Amino acid sequence: MLETLLIALRLQVAYSTNGIQYYVRKIPLIRRLFIGKSYDASDIKMLFGVLGGSWQFIKKIATKFVYLLLMIIAVDGLRNLGKLPDNASVALFIQTFIFSTFLGGILNNPLWGTDESDYYAICLLRMDSRKYTLSQYGFYLIHSTLAYIAAFFTVGHFIADISFVDGIILTVFFVSVKLTATAITLFIDDTTVKNVNWPNIIASVLILAAAVLLPVLHIVLPIMVMRIVMLAFIIPAGVGIWKLLTYKNYSYTYRKTILETREAMAQVKDSSSVEMQSRRDVLTDKMNATSNKHGFAYMHELFVKRHVKLLWKPSFIISGVAAILFAVCACAYFIYPDAFASADIDIIALLPAMVFVMYLINRGLPFTQALYVNCDHSMLTFSFYRASGSILRLFALRLVSIIKVNLLPAAVIGAGLDILHYLLSASTNPVDYFIIFISSICLSIFFSVHYLVIYYLLQPYNAATEVKSPAYSAIKGLTYVVCYMMLQIDISSLMFGIGTIVFCLAYCIIGCVLVYFLAPKTFHIKN
């Protein structure tokens, strides 16, 4: 059993090591250090082996600390929601932990591993399924126990005032619930009961409802009662250990679970491809559209005319909805002026939130997806299309088109905000109106340029229309995070508006310059 565990751990570390090495080799500047060096080079293998092993260890430990911190935040929110006294925090934490552990027993009990390393071990290396399962699950319970004890003795004790005794009891309860859930899972498998998803969903909803509603109703169980309940789960946990040791269908169940999971993961992996292929469905009936232009201008104009449904239709809808909302607000102001006066709404203070709004309504990302699926996917196979002059001419045409599409809703929103600002503040300072309107326009242009620039510099899609660029995905995620953080920023509205305008203009200039110099080298189909 110990030998099986060591082999499994080495396999996990090797898989993690190769994954880290693959993504590091994709980083534009760092990858130059690895040119000419294979994956099995001794120095490279040792470096990433240490990183992979460290990542596996840190990930397992850090998860429990983060979970405990999130639990403390959630408990504080529930206490404020139910307006409970401060001395109820410990009892409420234990009560919430009990419910969350029940929920985890239902939704997250990793008896059957579904990672790639599990597939390699069971299906390819043909390791003994029983030994592999018992060693892996036992290791999971042991390192979870040690991590929880460390978390409760540090974060739990010093932040949530959880005593050492309660920390140990909560850890024992966590292990007991996992073993109890395991026993139920294996008994259900033995009795060939099917379609058990609905009971799990119902139980999960009831547990969540109880965790939230009990504090709201000022119901917090006594700590001693909860200690007795938690320790009582040691009995069904013993049944779980017995069932683990006597279960006979490890090989069949494990292989079935792995294959079903791999099939589901393949469907998820293809979801980006499915989404990309769905861009073919947005072509309008103007398949016979013509143009008087020539060359790339002719081809691009046909593309825009055939994608009116994707580009201009949402733009008109967003603009119409925004105009109606502003009109309703203006009418409401004239009907209920006192209510608006008492609300003391400062429109110019909403400028940081406009970053997130413009991010949501911008059509840059769908535009680049359609460009690849319905144009570049085929044309990039021709050498003349990848020539520097061709790339730059098409980039300029596309940039002008997507800026036009996004300018319409931006102009409507900017003008609407100016009108509301005038009604609510009666300001006579023209700078305020200029900054509000121009900020909206600049943000619209910024996102138009941003998505097209990263598309040309990173071109993330392969021949199967799958995203194969970690840097592209990371930049998209970082864009969302930064835009969302703008909702929380506290800064002078005037300075923010001026800074936004300057940044957007500078970014657009730098982005276009980078495309001019780098796109001929980067704009190609990913392998």
Side-chain angles (χ1 to χ4, degrees):
M1 193 83 68
L2 180 59
E3 182 181 359
T4 302
L5 175 61
L6 293 177
I7 294 174
L9 292 178
R10 287 167 57 191
L11 187 62
Q12 291 177 7
V13 171
Y15 182 75
S16 177
T17 299
N18 290 335
I20 294 174
Q21 187 173 175
Y22 171 80
Y23 285 109
V24 169
R25 286 173 179 263
K26 295 292 182 180
I27 300 175
L29 296 178
I30 299 179
R31 66 186 177 190
R32 296 178 180 272
L33 301 175
F34 303 99
I35 295 177
K37 295 186 178 181
S38 64
Y39 273 74
D40 59 351
S42 59
D43 53 343
I44 300 297
K45 191 173 182 180
M46 180 178 297
L47 170 63
F48 287 104
V50 172
L51 292 176
S54 301
W55 169 246
Q56 287 290 324
F57 175 78
I58 293 172
K59 181 176 68 174
K60 294 178 186 298
I61 301 297
T63 300
K64 305 305 179 186
F65 280 84
V66 173
Y67 175 75
L68 212 59
L69 287 171
L70 293 176
M71 181 71 65
I72 293 171
I73 296 172
V75 168
D76 187 62
L78 289 173
R79 185 179 61 80
N80 292 330
L81 184 64
K83 298 180 180 179
L84 298 171
D86 293 342
N87 56 13
S89 296
V90 174
L92 182 59
F93 178 90
I94 295 174
Q95 178 175 289
T96 307
F97 185 87
I98 290 174
F99 285 124
S100 67
T101 304
F102 282 144
L103 192 64
I106 296 173
L107 302 178
N108 181 33
N109 190 28
L111 175 62
W112 313 112
T114 54
D115 294 337
E116 285 291 319
S117 57
D118 300 307
Y119 169 73
Y120 296 149
I122 299 296
C123 297
L124 300 184
L125 298 181
R126 299 185 181 278
M127 296 177 65
D128 185 282
S129 300
R130 181 178 182 276
K131 291 182 179 180
Y132 185 83
T133 305
L134 293 177
S135 61
Q136 285 292 92
Y137 195 61
F139 180 73
Y140 163 75
L141 294 178
I142 291 173
H143 79 66
S144 295
T145 299
L146 297 176
Y148 263 127
I149 289 177
F152 279 122
F153 280 17
T154 53
V155 174
H157 181 70
F158 293 105
I159 298 180
D161 293 327
I162 303 298
S163 66
F164 295 137
V165 173
D166 286 332
I168 294 175
I169 293 176
L170 289 168
T171 303
V172 172
F173 173 70
F174 166 82
V175 175
S176 300
V177 169
K178 292 295 185 184
L179 290 171
T180 303
T182 297
I184 296 173
T185 300
L186 298 181
F187 273 119
I188 289 175
D189 184 73
D190 277 345
T191 55
T192 65
V193 175
K194 304 300 181 182
N195 300 324
V196 295
N197 288 332
W198 280 111
N200 287 345
I201 294 174
I202 293 173
S204 301
V205 171
L206 292 176
I207 290 171
L208 281 173
V212 175
L213 292 178
L214 288 182
V216 173
L217 298 175
H218 303 283
I219 300 176
V220 180
L221 299 175
I223 292 180
M224 187 56 65
V225 172
M226 291 189 286
R227 287 172 179 169
I228 295 173
V229 170
M230 289 189 289
L231 292 175
F233 268 83
I234 294 177
I235 298 174
V239 178
I241 295 174
W242 170 79
K243 190 61 183 175
L244 274 170
L245 297 176
T246 58
Y247 185 69
K248 301 183 182 300
N249 296 324
Y250 278 109
S251 180
Y252 170 77
T253 305
Y254 217 131
R255 290 174 182 273
K256 176 185 175 183
T257 304
I258 287 177
L259 294 178
E260 289 177 350
T261 304
R262 284 180 65 82
E263 182 179 354
M265 290 176 65
Q267 294 176 358
V268 172
K269 182 180 179 180
D270 292 339
S271 63
S272 61
S273 178
V274 171
E275 179 186 359
M276 292 288 294
Q277 295 296 340
S278 68
R279 296 301 178 196
R280 300 186 189 277
D281 299 334
V282 302
L283 294 173
T284 67
D285 295 332
K286 298 180 180 179
M287 296 303 293
N288 58 348
T290 60
S291 171
N292 296 324
K293 297 181 179 180
H294 302 280
F296 286 115
Y298 171 83
M299 181 181 72
H300 178 68
E301 186 171 8
L302 290 184
F303 176 88
V304 173
K305 288 182 177 180
R306 294 176 179 179
H307 289 79
V308 170
K309 188 185 298 184
L310 174 72
L311 299 175
W312 283 105
K313 183 179 179 180
S315 181
F316 284 124
I317 292 175
I318 294 171
S319 301
V321 171
I324 292 173
L325 289 176
F326 285 125
V328 170
C329 291
C331 292
Y333 170 79
F334 289 110
I335 297 172
Y336 305 104
D338 294 337
F340 279 86
S342 61
D344 192 23
I345 301 173
D346 185 7
I347 294 297
I348 200 169
L350 300 177
L351 280 182
M354 286 300 300
V355 178
F356 192 68
V357 172
M358 290 300 172
Y359 165 81
L360 293 177
I361 67 174
N362 193 273
R363 304 301 300 163
L365 182 59
F367 178 62
T368 56
Q369 290 175 336
L371 282 176
Y372 184 77
V373 172
N374 294 328
C375 184
D376 297 340
H377 179 245
S378 300
M379 296 301 295
L380 279 173
T381 58
F382 298 99
S383 58
F384 78 91
Y385 194 79
R386 301 192 301 271
S388 176
S390 302
I391 290 175
L392 296 176
R393 280 198 295 272
L394 263 180
F395 174 81
L397 292 169
R398 291 170 171 180
L399 183 59
V400 171
S401 294
I402 191 59
I403 287 177
K404 289 179 181 178
V405 170
N406 289 318
L407 272 182
L408 178 60
V412 171
I413 292 174
L417 289 175
D418 273 345
I419 294 172
L420 289 183
H421 183 57
Y422 175 76
L423 293 175
L424 296 176
S425 66
S427 173
T428 58
N429 185 3
V431 176
D432 290 348
Y433 300 100
F434 176 80
I435 288 178
I436 291 174
F437 185 80
I438 298 300
S439 294
S440 301
I441 298 298
C442 287
L443 286 172
S444 173
I445 296 175
F446 163 75
F447 285 112
S448 302
V449 173
H450 174 67
Y451 282 113
L452 197 60
V453 165
I454 63 173
Y455 171 64
Y456 268 82
L457 294 182
L458 300 174
Q459 205 305 92
Y461 305 109
N462 63 4
T465 68
E466 298 171 332
V467 176
K468 288 297 182 181
S469 172
Y472 181 81
S473 300
I475 290 175
K476 280 205 310 179
L478 183 62
T479 302
Y480 169 80
V481 171
V482 172
C483 293
Y484 182 78
M485 289 174 61
M486 290 296 105
L487 297 173
Q488 316 295 331
I489 195 170
D490 184 15
I491 190 174
S492 168
S493 301
L494 181 62
M495 293 302 299
F496 180 84
I498 297 174
T500 299
I501 295 171
V502 173
F503 172 78
C504 292
L505 293 176
Y507 183 91
C508 293
I509 294 171
I510 294 173
C512 293
V513 170
L514 289 175
V515 169
Y516 179 83
F517 287 105
L518 300 179
K521 301 177 183 178
T522 60
F523 192 58
H524 54 78
I525 298 176
K526 289 287 184 183
N527 295 325

